[in-house]
Amino acid sequence: MEGIEHRTVEVNGIKMHIAEKGNKQAPVVLFLHGFPELWYSWRHQIAALSSLGYRAVAPDLRGYGDTDAPASVSSYTIFHLVGDVVALIDSLGVDQVFLVAHDWGAIIGWYVCLFRPERIKAYVCLSVPFLPRNPKVKPVDGMRALFGDDYYICRFQEPGKTEAEFAKGSPELVIKRMLTSRSPKPPILPKEGLLSHPNVSSTKALPSWLSQEDITYYASKFEKSGFTGGLNYYRNLNLNWELTAAWTGAKIKVPVKYIIGDLDMVYTTFGTKQYIESGGFKKDVPNLEEVVIQEGVAHFNNQEAAEEISNHIYDFIKKF
């Protein structure tokens, strides 16, 4: 973590915490994290890319860590989230950045590329592919029809409910349970709550890529902020669908490299494999230059296969 600088910037009406490392004059690589994560998810890539001559910047997104968390659910629409990122790019004093994003960060990344493609030189996307808007079905309704009411995104919808379930355990237990999950099945939450799952144990050994120090850092931040900010992203999925009607059928025009683990439930349950293999992904993202499927790697590939991910990022962005 040596040499990483931390500061707060004003963006889009909120105060945002960012971590950065590298020459201030160097090309910027901007990293966007997912749920339930922080800038810290990119610790390995920040070190690697800054040592290769880039300025690595990773914010805590709206609602997370040391960044402001507005109270109302409706302050977390895709327009707010993309607005934060564009304002952050402005605050860095550059016209364009290389974008690298994972999970919810990846969803925001696709919309940044859709709404403001001129700000992105190239995009390295981890885990979540572009999800073209289906004009006939709202996303949460579609998930409910496919996976039932106990599918995690459906369960996350009601404000306060998941927070109360999480509160039955410690933030440390919640983080540990999520980061170490390797089930390729759709995440169905037990009726008794997430933490009643037999795999949830405070004594279970951590994988080699995740230390107790890492878990403690995440937990210390969620202890303060709670999980509501991150959960509010999910609570806007149907509203985002309504707000983005004008972009139905729009293509992503920036150059893209996409990387996913073959044990990632996004790959195994979301129709992603079929979407890639059928050519649908390439049709929606015409400048999709490369798809990498990592064998034996699960959802949090930026942490589990950190060095490999850093190399993939560098191999792609150095061409531009």
Side-chain angles (χ1 to χ4, degrees):
M1 309 304 282
E2 222 171 276
I4 295 179
E5 292 173 22
H6 295 267
R7 60 191 177 97
T8 300
V9 291
E10 301 255 352
V11 299
N12 196 21
I14 61 168
K15 289 187 173 68
M16 177 177 264
H17 163 250
I18 65 170
E20 60 182 330
K21 187 175 183 182
N23 181 337
K24 296 282 192 283
Q25 268 54 62
V28 174
V29 184
L30 179 59
F31 296 95
L32 307 179
H33 67 78
F35 177 86
E37 297 176 273
L38 301 162
W39 73 269
Y40 188 84
S41 316
W42 299 107
R43 58 200 176 279
H44 306 294
Q45 288 77 27
I46 291 171
L49 274 297
S50 62
S51 74
L52 291 164
Y54 292 90
R55 179 185 179 190
V57 179
D60 284 337
L61 294 172
R62 174 181 289 245
Y64 284 91
D66 295 319
T67 290
D68 285 352
S72 84
V73 174
S74 59
S75 296
Y76 294 83
T77 72
I78 200 64
F79 289 144
H80 292 88
L81 304 175
V82 172
D84 295 347
V85 173
V86 173
L88 174 57
I89 296 171
D90 287 341
S91 81
L92 299 172
V94 294
D95 291 330
Q96 285 192 311
V97 298
F98 292 110
L99 191 60
V100 181
H102 171 259
D103 186 75
W104 250 106
I107 297 173
I108 300 168
W110 288 116
Y111 281 104
V112 173
C113 293
L114 193 59
F115 299 157
R116 298 300 301 273
E118 79 285 0
R119 305 309 299 265
I120 307 302
K121 278 185 228 177
Y123 180 29
V124 179
C125 176
L126 310 186
S127 182
V128 181
F130 180 57
L131 304 170
R133 183 181 183 277
N134 178 346
K136 295 189 176 72
V137 186
K138 292 183 179 184
V140 179
D141 303 10
M143 290 170 201
R144 193 167 268 122
L146 264 178
F147 302 119
D149 289 337
D150 290 332
Y151 186 60
Y152 78 112
I153 290 175
C154 302
R155 283 275 284 276
F156 285 177
Q157 293 304 308
E158 192 183 318
K161 199 167 180 188
T162 299
E163 289 90 328
E165 284 186 14
F166 285 180
K168 290 174 187 165
S170 62
E172 187 168 310
L173 207 54
V174 175
I175 298 290
K176 198 171 171 181
R177 162 80 178 98
M178 290 196 181
L179 292 189
T180 58
S181 170
R182 298 186 75 72
S183 169
K185 296 183 181 140
I188 305 296
L189 300 186
K191 284 269 190 287
E192 311 73 50
L194 174 84
L195 299 175
S196 65
H197 197 280
N199 290 349
V200 178
S201 149
S202 51
T203 55
K204 196 174 156 198
L206 291 170
S208 60
W209 52 270
L210 194 64
S211 71
Q212 183 54 46
E213 191 186 356
D214 299 333
I215 297 279
T216 302
Y217 182 83
Y218 284 118
S220 71
K221 296 300 176 184
F222 282 99
E223 193 85 55
K224 282 199 307 199
S225 68
F227 291 92
T228 300
L231 291 166
N232 282 343
Y233 288 43
Y234 295 94
R235 292 167 183 155
N236 279 284
L237 283 167
N238 278 354
L239 178 58
N240 291 340
W241 177 87
E242 291 175 22
L243 295 172
T244 56
W247 286 272
T248 304
K251 311 264 187 239
I252 300 286
K253 300 287 175 57
V254 305
V256 173
K257 178 174 188 168
Y258 174 73
I259 311 168
I260 193 169
D262 67 355
L263 297 180
D264 188 334
M265 53 87 184
V266 175
Y267 185 64
T268 55
T269 70
F270 228 65
T272 301
K273 190 171 190 275
Q274 295 80 348
Y275 181 48
I276 295 166
E277 290 172 356
S278 69
F281 195 9
K282 177 73 176 165
K283 202 168 126 221
D284 293 327
V285 185
N287 297 324
L288 177 66
E289 293 190 13
E290 210 180 327
V291 171
V292 177
I293 314 295
Q294 297 175 297
E295 279 182 39
V297 175
H299 180 64
F300 296 94
N301 55 347
N302 52 337
Q303 297 181 75
E304 181 181 342
E307 193 178 340
E308 190 186 334
I309 291 291
S310 298
N311 293 337
H312 275 306
I313 295 166
Y314 179 62
D315 288 345
F316 188 57
I317 67 176
K318 71 180 182 189
K319 302 190 295 194
F320 298 94

